[in-house]
């Protein structure tokens, strides 16, 4: 007995239903926390500004600083965003937001020219140590890296 054409067609599987958070492996659940408190930082380089060649920027990055930044990413990725935001140094929050309007003139101009002002009116800043800063935008647990600021010039403060 021959099979009909309909029975010879490959069966199409229904798309699997999305896994519930409780069914996902722990590592996945950590990155997908709905309220962001238990989510672990994820880093994206989609918005990195490699063209700026002023007083701060990626052109100032040395080989040893590259390794230190990579180590820093690994350290931070092991924490939750809540733990990151609660870190302090010298009695101040170590990593925090800054309104774009409070940044130096060059940084604000650069944000406008790169059309990054459509993203947010504030940037997140990581303090590695001393004057070394990483600037970017934090959205939905993802940190979009924009600038390397080794001399604390994007948001200068009094000595």
């Amino acid at each position: 007995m021959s099979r009909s054409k309909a029975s010879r067609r490959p069966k199409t599987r229904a798309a699997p239903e999305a896994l519930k958070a409780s069914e996902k492996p722990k590592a996945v659940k950590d990155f997908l926390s709905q309220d962001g408190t238990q989510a672990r930082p994820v880093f994206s380089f989609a918005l990195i500004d490699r063209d700026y060649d002023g007083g701060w920027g990626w052109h100032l990055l040395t080989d040893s600083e590259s390794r230190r930044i990579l180590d820093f990413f690994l350290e931070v990725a092991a924490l939750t965003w809540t733990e990151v935001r609660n870190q302090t140094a010298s009695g101040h929050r170590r990593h925090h937001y800054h309104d774009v309007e409070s940044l130096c003139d060059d940084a604000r101009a650069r944000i406008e020219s790169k059309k990054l002002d459509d993203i947010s009116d504030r940037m997140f800043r990581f303090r590695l140590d001393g004057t070394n800063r990483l600037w970017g935008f934090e959205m939905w647990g993802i940190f979009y890296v924009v600038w390397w600021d080794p001399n604390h010039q994007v948001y200068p403060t009094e000595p």
Side-chain angles (χ1 to χ4, degrees):
M1 180 183 269
S2 70
R3 297 187 323 182
S4 70
K5 284 185 180 179
S7 65
R8 286 185 288 198
R9 284 190 210 142
K11 293 186 178 179
T12 308
R13 286 190 165 174
E17 210 174 290
L19 291 175
K20 295 178 183 169
S22 62
E23 297 171 339
K24 293 180 182 169
K26 182 175 178 0
V28 174
K29 286 191 291 187
D30 288 344
F31 288 107
L32 299 177
S33 171
Q34 293 298 314
D35 63 3
T37 57
Q38 296 306 313
R40 296 186 188 283
V42 173
F43 296 93
S44 171
F45 299 91
L47 300 178
I48 199 164
D49 183 5
R50 292 184 60 195
D51 302 328
Y52 182 76
D53 62 357
W56 38 269
W58 296 103
H59 65 286
L60 300 171
L61 188 65
T62 66
D63 289 343
S64 65
E65 287 169 332
S66 297
R67 176 60 186 231
R68 194 174 67 200
I69 290 171
L70 179 58
D71 289 343
F72 178 78
F73 285 145
L74 293 171
E75 274 177 39
V76 171
L79 304 172
T80 65
W81 272 109
T82 300
E83 292 168 329
V84 168
R85 289 183 185 109
N86 287 335
Q87 286 185 347
T88 59
S90 305
H92 301 283
R93 290 200 183 265
R94 186 171 173 206
H95 318 295
H96 54 84
Y97 293 97
H98 280 276
D99 290 334
V100 168
E101 288 302 313
S102 70
L103 305 181
C104 72
D105 292 341
D106 283 348
R108 288 195 319 270
R110 195 71 187 160
I111 288 169
E112 287 178 27
S113 72
K114 301 285 284 180
K115 308 249 185 284
L116 298 175
D117 52 340
D118 293 339
I119 294 172
S120 178
D121 58 355
R122 64 185 188 158
M123 290 186 82
F124 194 83
R125 185 268 285 170
F126 281 107
R127 175 184 178 198
L128 275 70
D129 56 36
T131 61
N132 297 296
R133 307 290 189 264
L134 279 169
W135 288 87
F137 294 96
E138 186 271 321
M139 294 174 291
W140 307 289
I142 301 170
F143 180 75
Y144 293 87
V145 179
V146 178
W147 297 313
W148 168 241
D149 180 16
N151 300 311
H152 203 307
Q153 292 186 350
V154 172
Y155 180 81
T157 57
E158 297 295 322

